[in-house]
Amino acid sequence: MSDHHHDQEPIAPRVLDAAAEGCEEARLLINRRLFLGMSATLGAWAFAPRIVRAADPGDEPRLLVVVLRGGMDGLSVMAPTRDLAQYEKARGTVAVDVSRFLDLDGEFGLNPLMPKFHATYRRGDAALVHAIAPPLCDGSHFDSQLNLEAGVEGRASVDADGWMNKLLLNLPAGSPISGRPGLELGPAPFIISGEAPIHSWYPFDFGRIDGGSQLRAFDAGLRDLYGKTDPRLLRNLDLGLQSDSNARQTIRSSDNLSTMTALQKVFLGAGRLLAAKDGPRIAALSIDGWDSHAGQHALLSTRLKILDDALDDFRVAMGPAWSRTVVACVTEFGRTVAGNGRAFDGSAGTDHGKGTVALLTGGAVAGNQLHGEFPGLTNLDEGRHLKVTTDIRQMFKGILLDHLGVSERILGTEVFAESTHIRPMKGLIA
Amino acid sequence: MSTDWKPPIGALNARTAFMRFGLGPKPGGAARMGNASTSALNACLRELNITSAVPIRDPKLPNYATACANELILGGAFDKRLDEVEARIAKQLEPEVGFVERLVLFWSNHFSLFHGKEQIIRVTAGQMERDVIRRHVLGKFPDMLVAVMRHPAMLYYLDNTRSIGPNSAWTQPGKDINENLAREILELHTVGVDAGYTRQDIRELSRILTGWTKRPARDPQLGRPGQYFFQQSMHEPGTFTVMGKSYSQPGEAKGIAVLRDLALHRKTAEHIARKLVLHFVSEAGPEDPVVTRMVTRLADVFTATGGDLRAVARALVQMPEAWSMPMNRLRQPYLWTVSVMRALGLDKAAFETVADVPKLDSYLMVMNNHPWGRVQPDGYSDKNFVWETPNAIRIRKQIAYLLVTDFIKGDWTGPNAAVLANSLLPNAVSPEAISAVARVSQDKAALAMLFMTPEFLRR
């Protein structure tokens, strides 16, 4: 079982660099060195029976929302490429060479560190949305993330439920995916937390209590105790055991886990679980570390490359179910248009801004096109921010309406509270 | 919780002291505490008076100058961090309750750092906790705030080292303001996001803090590599207004003045009181009158004493509500991990002998509660939903067993787990839990079961 031995793989210099830049995902990978000598890691999966063998090619829609935390600089992902002089003037120290950007529609280009996303876009399975942001865009990471994840107009309380959890409770009654639990991957994202049951999974395993009958007896004893004294712990333990068992069963001996980063494993797990027959259909995960106050170019280079690889791994993992899938990558705000230093040495960064981009990918996306309206680099909000032309709820509503069949009334009252005036974006779904 | 069984009040108070305000009981700790109705409170209060127990005095650990100079080392920076993790945990095995240690962790999390961002943070975050947080944990909040902001770890983490006044004397390229630190001082460290400040206040504060930077890693002429210093030539001259008050002092004094004012602002008192109640007692919001009453009481003490953190901590445990609110939240993984070691009777020497610190550290990472490992500057959450996910419970179950097997070499020679439960939390563990533990035949698995009981998981 060669994938038992991945701990001893040398760490690639690229990953060391990424870790030095503070990339959490790389940090996780680096730390695998510390697992040397531990009893078993992902290899333990090989022992699980493969019940969820076949991907379900059926007709059920899938949705994955990826929250990019920290405020991603949208103009580094997609930039206008016609007027290079204007772009360079507007961005100053954080201008990158957009002449190398990958063409999207003759007017805009994609960062060349995302070639896989670009190929998917060209195949008609990916799109981007211009100048988008959550309705509350006050410069605070935490306010804006909560606002995005609660799906409300203004300040949200973390005591509320995330809008994806409300979505789970409000799927159309006749929908084949109604009543299915949601799925969260990695550290609990608020966007999907709440009362509707959520499966959760994280790709780490240190070996367990013997693994056989003793483990089953232990789990049974713990379940019995929680059943008598703590129903909430019982519910979560059961969901956790079930998620873990499902996830193990999706791993194949041909999976080359040894060369994957933790983030790739998370996306692989997401893909396999969403693809599986009777698996979850609504999932969320979050990736930290997009807050590029300084050293923006290096920071984004690392992350965009990792995101590009992970999204493509996810596409492959979905198999035939990709055709009924939408992935939305969103962030709490964009960043100031102009860079914040005067040196062109890569040390410059940007402060918290407003309009940014959303990335959509999946076979169900109306791809090879850009949505929304680009407000231009000259007419800025407060003189420093890209204006917001699309409320992020418009995009989410467009996906939920056309992809999942949730009615506009339910979207405006239940999923996104008091938002009937926010109309769904049209044409996002093929 | 089962409805027909209620622990006696003395036992419940002991559990509250250990699990809500402390780091978990050690064997026999509850008996040593006594079972009068005030025993548990007195045990917490006693620790607030033992100032000599707060510092970590270990000649092997770097002082400020050495830690900062470690910015230059090639390789081994991860190990420097692990040395600090080891020293912190070893220290936390000592006190009977651990209330002051919990305060250290609270304030360290209030001024959260992310070690993955850069080596200077990796090699100084632990030193900042030892020499700044511990030094002021029973002192005055304004002193703690100013000292944190004069530490290279925080200045680098929130990018202030790159903030240069556009009208300063600086002649090298790269003159511009970076707002990150100023924004988070207002939002996270002092008055809080509801305080009514504007983007303009953030901008003015960021100008005041220009020049608060660290010495370059390599500059033989300057010396003191990596340490804090005020660089006058980066400082934006002028008078600036923050939250309605204008500041015109020269140089660094302007920043110190504004930080001291912010530290004692009424909104800061309320923000910190709210965070303390959230962390130690309840996550109910302002709609809960008990919580609101507690927040007001703590804010009043904070204000009346000029931000005296010992007085605030004393007021926290002296509120009867702090002992009566339901224990319905999960203890965060770090606290729980330390409490497992304490429950197994590990002392500092035993821990240092048997501990595989890198492995232990990786458990904390997998449970998303890695020391100085939070990427975002808001610190680890006190909201239950973060810690009680299905995945988190499943992983904690695995790690309960791993901790037991890691720390007990060979056979377990202590009392069996059900007996140990009664030594740790006499009369405070439900009969259902005792019997679930007793039914596990293998000694180490039975201990793991004990550490997964609701009484051991919840606070």
Side-chain angles (χ1 to χ4, degrees):
Chain A
M1 224 39 68
S2 64
D3 54 9
H4 283 204
H5 303 298
H6 63 272
D7 294 329
Q8 288 146 54
E9 296 272 322
I11 305 289
R14 175 182 70 76
V15 178
L16 285 170
D17 290 341
E21 288 297 328
C23 175
E24 183 184 41
E25 178 277 329
R27 182 171 62 90
L28 293 174
L29 182 61
I30 289 287
N31 213 280
R32 285 200 323 208
R33 284 183 305 173
L34 306 174
F35 297 171
L36 274 172
M38 299 185 67
S39 53
T41 58
L42 290 159
W45 286 355
F47 299 107
R50 297 201 163 73
I51 297 166
V52 197
R53 223 176 282 112
D56 165 35
D59 210 25
E60 296 173 358
R62 276 88 166 165
L63 173 66
L64 171 65
V65 175
V66 181
V67 183
L68 307 170
R69 292 181 200 277
M72 180 178 70
D73 182 56
L75 287 168
S76 289
V77 177
M78 173 168 62
T81 50
R82 278 282 183 82
D83 189 342
L84 296 183
Q86 187 200 56
Y87 169 84
E88 281 175 16
K89 180 163 176 283
R91 298 233 76 190
T93 50
V94 293
V96 291
D97 181 5
V98 292
S99 68
R100 289 171 44 246
F101 272 35
L102 311 170
D103 181 57
L104 292 168
D105 68 344
E107 301 272 340
F108 290 88
L110 181 73
N111 191 305
L113 290 165
M114 303 193 77
K116 294 174 181 173
F117 187 89
H118 187 255
T120 308
Y121 175 92
R122 280 292 177 226
R123 279 196 302 274
D125 284 355
L128 296 98
V129 183
H130 281 303
I132 193 168
L136 180 74
C137 207
D138 65 355
S140 157
H141 291 296
F142 315 107
D143 269 5
S144 305
Q145 287 173 24
L146 271 183
N147 170 262
L148 183 162
E149 295 179 80
V152 295
E153 178 93 23
R155 293 276 300 285
S157 158
V158 75
D159 300 321
D161 288 352
W163 69 257
M164 293 183 72
N165 197 277
K166 294 185 248 178
L167 167 66
L168 288 163
L169 297 172
N170 285 286
L171 287 164
S175 165
I177 67 170
S178 176
R180 220 67 78 75
L183 173 67
E184 66 188 7
L185 297 120
F190 171 64
I191 193 168
I192 200 165
S193 74
E195 280 314 304
I198 303 296
H199 280 211
S200 70
W201 185 69
Y202 198 43
F204 282 96
D205 186 5
F206 293 94
R208 319 187 278 172
I209 306 167
D210 280 22
S213 59
Q214 207 186 337
L215 172 69
R216 282 195 294 278
F218 187 93
D219 286 355
L222 195 58
R223 292 190 64 253
D224 179 59
L225 170 61
Y226 290 172
K228 287 173 181 157
T229 61
D230 202 323
R232 187 150 187 99
L233 276 177
L234 177 64
R235 185 186 93 142
N236 288 339
L237 175 65
D238 277 350
L239 285 167
L241 293 173
Q242 206 182 329
S243 311
D244 187 45
S245 160
N246 290 346
R248 284 161 192 277
Q249 290 166 36
T250 67
I251 297 303
R252 299 166 191 156
S253 55
S254 58
D255 289 335
N256 201 355
L257 298 174
S258 60
T259 58
M260 281 185 207
T261 62
L263 192 72
Q264 281 178 300
K265 280 183 264 185
V266 166
F267 272 95
L268 176 75
R272 293 280 173 74
L273 288 166
L274 286 171
K277 189 169 188 309
D278 301 326
R281 295 293 176 255
I282 309 282
L285 66 84
S286 72
I287 308 174
D288 279 341
W290 299 83
D291 193 17
S292 51
H293 285 276
Q296 173 167 290
H297 182 65
L299 181 147
L300 286 182
S301 296
T302 310
R303 280 163 184 72
L304 291 177
K305 171 82 174 73
I306 288 170
L307 180 64
D308 195 50
D309 287 342
L311 287 173
D312 205 57
D313 289 346
F314 175 79
R315 178 184 66 80
V316 173
M318 287 300 288
W322 174 253
S323 68
R324 292 286 282 137
T325 296
V326 171
V327 182
C329 303
V330 296
T331 187
E332 72 261 29
F333 46 62
R335 311 195 66 87
T336 50
V337 173
N340 62 9
R342 279 181 204 164
F344 291 83
D345 58 1
S347 69
T350 47
D351 287 306
H352 302 179
K354 294 196 172 175
T356 183
V357 299
L359 298 107
L360 300 176
T361 184
V365 169
N368 203 13
Q369 58 184 301
L370 305 178
H371 299 278
E373 183 197 339
F374 188 70
L377 292 175
T378 50
N379 179 21
L380 301 179
D381 189 339
E382 295 181 24
R384 64 205 297 242
H385 307 304
L386 190 69
K387 283 189 171 161
V388 179
T389 57
T390 296
D391 181 321
I392 204 159
R393 292 173 297 173
Q394 294 176 267
M395 183 189 79
F396 288 140
K397 283 185 171 191
I399 295 168
L400 269 41
L401 176 70
D402 291 337
H403 186 50
L404 303 181
V406 185
S407 76
E408 218 180 317
R409 186 183 62 78
I410 293 290
L411 290 173
T413 54
E414 303 296 330
V415 182
F416 301 96
E418 297 170 25
S419 70
T420 44
H421 60 293
I422 303 294
R423 306 304 303 276
M425 208 168 182
K426 293 205 167 34
L428 296 175
I429 303 301
Chain B
M1 294 285 132
S2 56
T3 47
D4 48 349
W5 176 82
K6 293 269 186 299
I9 191 72
L12 188 62
N13 282 349
R15 180 183 165 206
T16 306
F18 287 125
M19 296 308 193
R20 174 167 287 169
F21 298 117
L23 290 164
K26 301 199 271 189
R32 289 189 291 276
M33 187 185 274
N35 60 3
S37 61
T38 54
S39 298
L41 169 62
N42 288 336
C44 294
L45 291 173
R46 221 163 22 241
E47 290 188 352
L48 290 176
N49 293 323
I50 314 173
T51 316
S52 63
V54 182
I56 293 180
R57 294 196 181 85
D58 182 342
K60 293 193 299 294
L61 294 172
N63 62 19
Y64 175 58
T66 314
C68 292
N70 282 339
E71 184 183 7
L72 289 166
I73 59 171
L74 298 170
F78 284 95
D79 295 339
K80 299 283 178 205
R81 183 186 152 276
L82 289 173
D83 292 345
E84 298 284 354
V85 173
E86 180 171 5
R88 186 214 256 183
I89 293 175
K91 176 76 182 176
Q92 293 178 340
L93 298 174
E94 289 175 356
E96 189 76 89
V97 176
F99 182 40
V100 175
E101 290 301 317
R102 287 288 305 279
L103 293 166
V104 168
L105 294 170
F106 173 86
W107 289 109
S108 190
N109 195 55
H110 183 75
F111 294 109
S112 185
L113 298 167
F114 173 47
H115 73 79
K117 177 158 174 156
E118 185 51 70
Q119 178 146 317
I120 183 68
I121 304 170
R122 207 168 302 136
V123 296
T124 61
Q127 181 273 330
M128 184 180 107
E129 185 178 295
R130 280 186 289 117
D131 294 338
V132 179
I133 303 295
R134 282 181 186 275
R135 176 160 177 231
H136 297 288
V137 69
L138 300 175
K140 295 288 180 102
F141 181 68
D143 297 337
M144 184 190 278
L145 178 71
V146 170
V148 167
M149 296 309 153
R150 297 176 78 190
H151 195 281
M154 183 59 78
L155 292 171
Y156 197 94
Y157 175 47
L158 292 177
D159 301 304
N160 208 62
T161 54
R162 298 170 187 267
S163 192
I164 304 165
N167 302 304
S168 66
W170 191 250
T171 52
Q172 288 91 321
K175 277 167 64 157
D176 204 358
I177 298 290
N178 195 304
E179 296 176 359
N180 203 12
L181 180 66
R183 177 188 300 279
E184 304 305 2
I185 286 174
L186 290 168
E187 179 171 344
L188 299 176
H189 304 137
T190 64
V191 292
V193 73
D194 291 321
Y197 59 85
T198 64
R199 282 184 188 236
Q200 188 60 27
D201 288 312
I202 295 170
R203 272 172 228 171
E204 301 265 310
L205 178 56
S206 67
R207 278 155 180 75
I208 292 175
L209 293 174
T210 48
W212 290 51
T213 187
K214 64 182 256 309
R215 293 182 186 274
R218 282 184 190 78
D219 189 336
Q221 304 218 303
L222 284 167
R224 301 184 185 178
Q227 295 184 35
Y228 166 78
F229 83 130
F230 177 76
Q231 170 64 281
Q232 180 65 44
S233 67
M234 290 164 78
H235 185 64
E236 179 76 354
T239 297
F240 301 101
T241 302
V242 178
M243 296 192 78
K245 182 163 176 183
S246 96
Y247 296 88
S248 55
Q249 296 85 340
E252 187 191 25
K254 188 159 44 200
I256 291 172
V258 70
L259 288 176
R260 289 192 169 279
D261 284 347
L262 287 172
L264 296 178
H265 198 286
R266 177 66 191 181
K267 294 285 185 189
T268 300
E270 290 168 3
H271 180 214
I272 284 168
R274 206 173 302 117
K275 280 190 75 170
L276 282 164
V277 171
L278 171 66
H279 179 71
F280 284 100
V281 186
S282 168
E283 66 185 64
E287 72 285 352
D288 184 323
V290 177
V291 163
T292 299
R293 197 163 64 234
M294 296 175 84
V295 169
T296 305
R297 163 85 187 130
L298 289 186
D300 289 349
V301 172
F302 185 100
T303 301
T305 60
D308 183 325
L309 301 181
R310 190 201 308 260
V312 171
R314 191 182 293 129
L316 171 69
V317 288
Q318 282 177 331
M319 291 187 291
E321 300 92 330
W323 297 81
S324 61
M325 298 285 271
M327 308 264 274
N328 57 6
R329 296 189 297 162
L330 281 194
R331 297 165 72 223
Q332 286 143 324
Y334 176 85
L335 295 178
W336 173 84
T337 301
V338 172
S339 73
V340 166
M341 290 181 244
R342 289 165 57 94
L344 292 173
L346 246 65
D347 61 11
K348 187 169 185 286
F351 169 70
E352 285 168 355
T353 309
V354 298
D356 179 343
V357 178
K359 192 169 166 187
L360 188 57
D361 189 59
S362 65
Y363 296 162
L364 296 170
M365 190 174 64
V366 168
M367 293 189 286
N368 296 314
N369 206 189
H370 205 211
W372 313 292
R374 171 88 179 150
V375 180
Q376 301 198 119
D378 54 348
Y380 287 111
S381 175
D382 274 307
K383 288 293 184 176
N384 206 38
F385 84 90
V386 173
W387 308 109
E388 68 158 12
T389 69
N391 190 54
I393 304 298
R394 192 259 305 175
I395 288 181
R396 214 184 276 211
K397 176 181 73 94
Q398 280 175 252
I399 290 180
Y401 185 71
L402 289 164
L403 287 170
V404 171
T405 49
D406 286 352
F407 284 102
I408 303 169
K409 307 293 180 197
D411 291 335
W412 170 241
T413 53
N416 78 49
V419 173
L420 180 63
N422 267 318
S423 161
L424 295 168
L425 296 170
N427 301 314
V429 180
S430 73
E432 292 89 345
I434 297 284
S435 106
V437 169
R439 271 199 301 272
V440 183
S441 55
Q442 204 245 19
D443 285 343
K444 294 182 187 177
L447 291 165
M449 182 70 83
L450 169 59
F451 300 136
M452 287 303 288
T453 57
E455 287 81 358
F456 229 88
L457 284 176
R458 294 205 179 270
R459 56 177 174 140

